[in-house]
Amino acid sequence: KTVGIALATISSLFFLSTIFSTDGSASFWGSSARMDGLFTLLHFFAFFIILASLFDKRAFRRCMQISVVAGAFAALYALAQWFNAPLIVTSRGEVFGTLGNPSYLALYLLFTIFLAHYLAQNEKRREVAIILYCAVAIQTIALLLTQVQAAPCALAVGAVVAAYPYIR
């Protein structure tokens, strides 16, 4: 339910930004390289609705857990790039994981960081929650190593939003 509300909110904000943008066509369709337009986001939202309606709560939670594990592996690969591990493709000072672009990796890690936090907050077993927070720590380090300037800002804003129920 919370993830659905968050996706509906961001979809609404993207819709408003598309309406009030200087180039509505570019905002709606996005670029072919990034696929970042409202059209793509609405498809992701529809895909989420389909998944949420087809899976029961337990299966959907399992899917989220698999996503967090994949994010942890992406972060570990990025750390291996940072330390110039053998057999790992590296670059000059920035990590990009297997996605080939630091910005894409940062965006992906932002999603999995907050997904892991959400799962940890709702986890009854303390050991599993600790493992999830370790995944958050590894992914946060990898996020910072991408050297994408907007990533720490997005992480800070997301942390404030995640802390809101506790501040209230």
Side-chain angles (χ1 to χ4, degrees):
K1 182 178 175 181
T2 307
V3 175
I5 292 170
L7 281 174
T9 302
I10 198 166
S11 296
S12 301
L13 292 173
F14 266 85
F15 182 76
L16 288 174
S17 69
T18 299
I19 289 174
F20 295 110
S21 71
T22 56
D23 188 356
S25 177
S27 294
F28 181 77
W29 293 109
S31 67
S32 60
R34 294 187 183 240
M35 294 304 298
D36 55 355
L38 179 65
F39 183 76
T40 302
L41 181 69
L42 291 176
H43 277 82
F44 286 144
F45 185 63
F47 182 64
F48 171 78
I49 302 252
I50 291 168
L51 283 177
S53 64
L54 293 178
F55 288 147
D56 64 348
K57 188 175 182 177
R58 194 173 45 117
F60 195 68
R61 184 174 179 81
R62 185 73 177 147
C63 186
M64 289 191 296
Q65 290 168 338
I66 291 169
S67 296
V68 169
V69 170
F73 278 117
L76 289 172
Y77 189 89
L79 290 173
Q81 284 180 323
W82 180 259
F83 289 109
N84 293 320
L87 304 176
I88 301 291
V89 177
T90 61
S91 181
R92 293 178 262 106
E94 60 186 17
V95 298
F96 49 85
T98 57
L99 299 175
N101 186 322
S103 298
Y104 292 163
L105 179 62
L107 180 63
Y108 177 67
L109 290 175
L110 278 167
F111 177 74
T112 59
I113 285 168
F114 289 106
L115 191 58
H117 169 70
Y118 172 77
L119 290 172
Q121 286 295 306
N122 296 310
E123 182 59 50
K124 291 174 177 52
R125 296 169 295 181
R126 187 169 189 262
E127 308 82 34
V128 176
I130 290 171
I131 291 170
L132 287 166
Y133 279 123
C134 287
V136 166
I138 291 168
Q139 293 171 9
T140 301
I141 291 167
L143 175 82
L144 296 174
L145 292 177
T146 62
Q147 298 180 11
V148 173
Q149 293 175 350
C153 296
L155 188 62
V157 169
V160 169
V161 170
Y164 176 74
Y166 304 104
I167 296 170
R168 215 173 46 144

